[in-house]
Amino acid sequence: MKLTGWGNVPVLDCNVSAPRSEAELKAVIARGHAIARGNGRSYGDSAASRSNTIDMRNFDRMISFDEETGVLVAEAGVLLADVISACLPRGWFPLVTPGTKLITLGGAIAADVHGKNHHIDGSFRACVDWIDLMGPGGEVTRCSAGENPELFDWTLGGMGLTGVILRCAIRLRRVESGWIRQQMIPARDLDAAIEIFEDNLGATYSVAWIDCTATGDRLGRSLVMVGEHARATEVAPQHRHRPLHVPARPRRTFPFPLPGFALNPLTVRAFNALYYWNGKRQTGISTVDWDSYFYPLDSIAKWNRLYGRRGFLQFQCVLPLERGAPGLHALMEAIAGSGQASFLSVLKRFGPQDSPISFPMEGYTLALDFPNTRKTRDLMPRLDAITLAHGGRFYLAKDARMPAPTLARADPRAAAFAAWRRETGLAPAFSSSQSERLKL
Amino acid sequence: MTGPVLILGARSDIARAIARAFAAEGHPIQLAARHAENLGTDRDDLQTRYGVEVSLHDFDALEVRQHEAFVDGLPVLPEIVVSAIGVLGDQTENEDDVEAALGVIRANFEGPALILGVLANRFATRGSGTIVGISSVAGDRGRASNYVYGSAKAGFTAFLSGLRNRLARQGVHVVTVQPGFVNTAMTAGMDTPGALTAEPSEVGEAIVNAVKKGRNVIYVRRIWWLVMSIICAIPEAIFKKTSI
Ligand SMILES: Cc1cc2nc3c(=O)[nH]c(=O)nc-3n(C[C@H](O)[C@H](O)[C@H](O)COP(=O)(O)OP(=O)(O)OC[C@H]3O[C@@H](n4cnc5c(N)ncnc54)[C@H](O)[C@@H]3O)c2cc1C
Ligand SMILES: NC(=O)c1ccc[n+]([C@@H]2O[C@H](COP(=O)([O-])OP(=O)(O)OC[C@H]3O[C@@H](n4cnc5c(N)ncnc54)[C@H](OP(=O)(O)O)[C@@H]3O)[C@@H](O)[C@H]2O)c1
């Protein structure tokens, strides 16, 4: 069956099975070269193995939720969206969430995802109490910071290459409402944006949408958005009697893949300019529902069709704090100079992170997406080189094309991970198209 | 009304989605299946997600002489019953092997029809209730590729239609569900056309809706009504030479 990640490239012909029990799962793993697949929201080929892709979405049961402590035990195929539906009405929200709720808990752990609060709360790891992991022989190991810590450490951010996550216990955050108080702060250029991030390190959430099409002294102009969970008393009067309840948003489906020329540098430039000026008019504080705040793109199902059949490429790197500003300048200049335009570009400040293979490090992360054209494919290695020159590294959940030497140079941890996998027999029992390309 | 919902064949993907859809509306759920004891995580799931009461019940549709006792053993007589029981079987095997064909006919027609008949009588006595039977578009017209399964479903569809007619004036409603393709274990490995293939959750939501609105016959996805109308309109002289 043909599989792709969210970016729609590469398209791989894969053998896919969807086990329904641990016994079935064990038998499938035994075939070798196995990789678990969650909801397919990673962009490239992380969740695909030509010979043995395991769709984990049948493991989608919530096992228990403690309303006193906010600890949820659930199977790995449960969607974050379902966690929110079940737990928000009881006053709990995920501690860490990426920009889409349509991911599984297994995917959140394997990529050790980050949210807009990384600078305060860290990555998804911060909310994981324990994981049950099925190994090459079908054996199930419970791992946590205290029990089998090495396996736990490599599993968070290990991109499915340490085994198949069966279930986990995660801790949620207590909230009084389903609303976020958001403040929109325009930044005229990159340095202004960085200054705003540094001034707002105490805010729970911060993220910037950055206009990658602006040049010259507007290079890096942005809208920085900071947010806090609204207290019950801060919710708009018409919703205050049920502060945890947010009226459902209409859902639309992007009807068909747009023709390739629809998103060209000109239309992207126009969109970005409009977005900036529109955002600038909304400067100040507003109260936004959780769904619109955290998951603006989820309201349009299949929005990736915007890029047409050729698909699109994500680029996400993180630069260490001390070299963030010059590195970002260099990246933005390279993009602006290439004449290629990133439709949606997001900048975010990471806090410290201490784990052996997860993506984040203290500094700035930039996420870009480009239509998959020859010109943008040529741009990628230049962005790689700038990232390397500034001591940065790359997010595997977004990667579809990086060559192995680039990863090796960016991230010495990759070689250690690969060696550990071989020693423990996890390679080649577990492998993805990505791990083969990157020699993990 | 959020009375208890009994789900027969509760392990199936479609049944799980139906249980969730009713539980999300606050209905207590009775899960009935063979080897109900290993539905523990499904019970936990419904309780955790929706905070409703869930009970597990052993049930084999083919043990037709035990049906009365099964219903007597339920904690309360449900408000709504849904049957998701069915066996697709293998058509070529069914052509040669009487036991295989008998299994398919019994599991799709005899078993589900008789248990719903028992519940129908109880509901009629009480004067309320809703019966939901999952049949299949395969029952709308017999085709070479699966007519053993299809004819059993046709029998089940006719049974539901008769039941609805009989109970219409006794406060009991009957819903016939005609799924086309659904993405489940039953169709795993089959290359079904995307636009015609429903997710189990769509079936669940469609059933909750049909019960609320008192619908009689629903197709999921709806397009299947049109597809089957066309297939049924083809004259037999032509149809017999096709391979649809
Ligand atoms: C619109 C959008 C916004 C996003 N925003 C962010 C963001 O803000 N921050 C961020 O960090 N990420 C973000 N992402 C990326 C996304 O959160 C990750 O790629 C996540 O891993 C996807 O989860 P999934 O369930 O879809 O997993 P998949 O994409 O199916 O798989 C991802 C990885 O997880 C592994 N995996 C999945 N399930 C299991 C399991 N049961 N056991 C072992 N391994 C498993 C796979 O092998 C694979 O390596 C975004 C993605 C999209 C589409
Ligand atoms: N999937 C489709 O495309 C499709 C299309 C049209 C109609 N349908 C119908 O939808 C219903 C659900 O099907 P599904 O797709 O979810 O497939 P499924 O997983 O195969 O479900 C069938 C269920 O019937 C149960 N069952 C079979 N014989 C039984 C018996 N003697 N006693 C008790 N339970 C019995 C099975 O229980 P065990 O777990 O104990 O085996 C199983 O849970 C079926 O009626 C099917 O015919 C499905």
Side-chain angles (χ1 to χ4, degrees), chain A residues 119-372:
Chain A
H119 60 288
I120 295 260
D121 295 304
S123 62
F124 199 76
R125 176 191 172 93
C127 76
V128 181
D129 273 1
W130 53 258
I131 299 167
D132 276 349
L133 194 70
M134 189 178 275
E139 71 287 356
V140 178
T141 311
R142 168 95 27 123
C143 51
S144 66
E147 198 177 345
N148 301 305
E150 194 179 29
L151 193 56
F152 182 73
D153 273 353
W154 288 117
T155 297
L156 280 143
M159 301 306 289
L161 299 169
T162 62
V164 176
I165 300 161
L166 286 177
R167 61 186 81 79
C168 59
I170 60 168
R171 257 170 301 112
L172 280 70
R173 164 204 304 278
R174 203 187 268 288
V175 294
E176 286 185 24
S177 84
W179 300 81
I180 302 291
R181 269 166 69 79
Q182 160 173 284
Q183 189 184 2
M184 174 96 81
I185 314 168
R188 65 181 184 285
D189 61 16
L190 189 58
D191 292 329
I194 290 177
E195 199 178 312
I196 296 168
F197 273 116
E198 298 301 324
D199 287 348
N200 283 281
L201 283 178
T204 305
Y205 299 109
S206 65
V207 67
W209 164 86
I210 182 164
D211 180 356
C212 272
T213 63
T215 51
D217 52 4
R218 292 190 194 141
L219 189 79
R221 73 172 169 190
S222 318
L223 297 170
V224 187
M225 290 160 259
V226 300
E228 299 291 341
H229 287 279
R231 317 207 53 140
T233 49
E234 291 168 340
V235 172
Q238 69 270 32
H239 299 301
R240 209 169 288 159
H241 65 293
R242 284 177 80 195
L244 292 163
H245 180 84
V246 167
R249 276 196 301 168
R251 261 180 76 82
R252 298 196 165 78
T253 296
F254 204 85
F256 50 81
L258 274 189
F261 58 80
L263 265 199
N264 59 47
L266 199 69
T267 52
V268 170
R269 199 174 309 267
F271 168 83
N272 276 269
L274 273 176
Y275 192 92
Y276 180 76
W277 290 109
N278 192 37
K280 225 181 142 184
R281 279 194 289 120
Q282 293 167 17
T283 303
I285 295 182
S286 55
T287 310
V288 192
D289 68 86
W290 61 269
D291 204 7
S292 316
Y293 180 79
F294 290 105
Y295 315 112
L297 292 167
D298 286 352
S299 65
I300 309 167
K302 305 193 181 169
W303 62 261
N304 50 354
R305 289 177 169 177
L306 184 64
Y307 291 89
R309 294 187 197 286
R310 66 190 169 183
F312 65 112
L313 297 169
Q314 266 260 340
F315 175 88
Q316 184 169 359
C317 66
V318 56
L319 302 170
L321 195 54
E322 61 288 358
R323 303 171 75 179
L328 289 170
H329 269 287
L331 288 168
M332 304 297 297
E333 265 157 22
I335 298 161
S338 74
Q340 298 310 302
S342 162
F343 185 53
L344 273 179
S345 318
V346 176
L347 179 66
K348 153 100 215 105
R349 168 74 152 87
F350 278 160
Q353 170 100 19
D354 183 23
S355 49
I357 196 69
S358 306
F359 162 65
M361 68 164 105
E362 181 155 31
Y364 279 90
T365 179
L366 181 66
L368 310 164
D369 42 57
F370 296 99
N372 174 28

